[in-house]
Amino acid sequence: MTSEIDTGSGLLPVHEWGSADTETPGVLLLQEIFGVSDYIKQRAADLHALGYYVVAPEIYWRLDDTELDESSPELLPRAMSIVGRLDWDQAVTDAVVALEYLKARGKGTGVIGFCFGGGLGYNVAAVSSPDVLVSYYGSALPDLLELAPKVTATSLHHFGNADAYLDVDAIVPALGGDDRVEIHRYDGAGHAFDNPLPMFHHAEASALAWRRTEDFLAQNLPTSQGQA
């Protein structure tokens, strides 16, 4: 189901899983550079099956010409060209509006982001603290580490040790070492290892990271189902 959230400068389209009226925590799910793809929709459905009300905003909504074909050999360069036109600060503002919409329900909130969304979620968590944050290999993290003291949400981070895009060894120490920050690294896994596209997917790391995500949510943002 799709709906809209008023940002004050237009209506932000969001995909919904579940109802805002339910007595369950809300999760803001933030896309990769490929938009709210079938993969992101599947992860949203996975989260909803665990008992969460999930919203995934269309972060590219202010741009034109953003259609993507996941079967195209030009998928990655085209997605890179789209995200290159995105106003980062505006994207943060839009995502914060969506989080505030969830926070207003008073049921608890989480932010979960993948790749582009993992970095965006980190920035959002620094601006409008959710209860929990799950960031998968946030691509913008190298430019956001100065925000670490402002990220007070209990957080979980996943990184592949074979990530050719991120200097994981430099990022991990800067995220903080207290008990609010949980970090896992996966041997043999590259960037975007949870994405099922063959160019990215690492099945073992994906499965283990998702189990850890479920366990983390169950402990830190429990649902009425007793399992997150």
Side-chain angles (χ1 to χ4, degrees):
M1 185 173 69
T2 59
S3 61
E4 296 174 323
I5 298 174
D6 188 355
T7 67
S9 60
L11 298 177
L12 169 65
V14 298
H15 303 262
E16 291 181 290
W17 287 260
S19 170
D21 296 330
T22 56
E23 297 293 320
T24 187
V27 169
L28 174 63
L29 181 61
L30 296 173
Q31 66 185 56
E32 296 180 312
I33 63 171
F34 307 116
V36 184
S37 61
D38 289 344
Y39 156 57
I40 292 299
K41 290 177 180 177
Q42 181 58 58
R43 279 304 186 214
D46 294 339
L47 290 164
H48 179 53
L50 299 171
Y52 296 101
Y53 168 53
V54 183
V55 297
E58 290 278 0
I59 297 298
Y60 293 157
W61 73 289
R62 295 180 186 271
L63 302 176
D64 56 13
D65 189 24
T66 60
E67 293 299 318
L68 287 164
D69 178 1
E70 290 190 73
S71 66
S72 169
E74 298 301 312
L75 173 65
L76 185 56
R78 172 152 171 76
M80 291 293 290
S81 71
I82 294 171
V83 78
R85 294 189 280 121
L86 187 71
D87 182 319
W88 177 267
D89 291 338
Q90 184 65 68
V92 171
T93 298
D94 288 341
V96 166
V97 168
L99 178 59
E100 292 294 331
Y101 159 76
L102 291 176
K103 290 173 70 174
R105 298 172 61 246
K107 313 299 181 186
T109 55
V111 174
I112 301 180
F114 296 86
C115 194
F116 164 77
L120 182 63
Y122 194 77
N123 202 150
V124 168
V127 175
S128 177
S129 183
D131 295 303
V132 302
L133 166 69
V134 180
S135 175
Y136 276 71
Y137 32 78
S139 56
L141 282 177
D143 298 322
L144 301 173
L145 295 175
E146 64 184 21
L147 297 176
K150 298 181 180 180
V151 180
T152 59
T154 302
S155 63
L156 170 64
H157 296 265
H158 300 291
F159 297 102
N161 279 333
D163 194 321
Y165 184 80
L166 293 175
D167 183 351
V168 178
D169 288 336
I171 292 171
V172 166
L175 293 175
D178 61 37
D179 57 7
R180 294 180 299 106
V181 182
E182 181 179 339
I183 298 169
H184 294 285
R185 301 175 63 164
Y186 303 85
D187 287 339
H191 197 68
F193 66 75
D194 191 59
N195 187 306
L197 290 176
M199 73 177 91
F200 303 120
H201 196 56
H202 189 290
E204 181 180 355
S206 173
L208 178 55
W210 192 253
R211 287 198 299 271
R212 286 171 168 164
T213 295
E214 290 180 336
D215 291 345
F216 173 84
L217 292 172
Q219 180 176 355
N220 296 290
L221 193 68
T223 70
S224 59
Q225 294 183 198
Q227 58 178 15

